[in-house]
Amino acid sequence: MGFILRSAVAMTLGKGFLAIRKAGHLCVETRTQDYSDYSGREKCMEVRVDVLKSGLRVLIVDQWIETGGTMKAAIKLVENQGATVV
């Protein structure tokens, strides 16, 4: 369901879509970021390294935010590759 929401937002805005996933789900080179979920469990998410570049502006869409842990990790992943979260 989350991919449908996010890809619909990207299509509506006429922009690209890049998934930030739980670690281990992408079959390309990635960067990872640890975070704590809503229950306090340590987890890790990843994003591919060949898309985000310096100067790129990124809108992050998450369908479910409780503590902000996943959003903070997503922001770090984007910014550590030189892109800007808007």
Side-chain angles (χ1 to χ4, degrees), residues 48-61:
R48 58 188 305 154
V49 298
D50 60 345
V51 177
L52 298 172
K53 306 286 184 217
S54 181
L56 186 66
R57 294 168 32 114
V58 177
L59 172 67
I60 299 176
V61 178

Side-chain angles (χ1 to χ4, degrees), residues 21-53:
R21 306 277 324 259
K22 293 177 189 171
H25 286 84
L26 297 174
C27 58
V28 295
E29 184 182 354
T30 63
R31 297 274 191 271
T32 60
Q33 179 65 49
D34 295 329
Y35 70 98
S36 296
D37 70 5
Y38 62 92
S39 65
R41 286 182 283 190
E42 291 297 315
K43 295 190 174 183
C44 188
M45 60 176 34
E46 66 184 1
V47 67
R48 58 188 305 154
V49 298
D50 60 345
V51 177
L52 298 172
K53 306 286 184 217

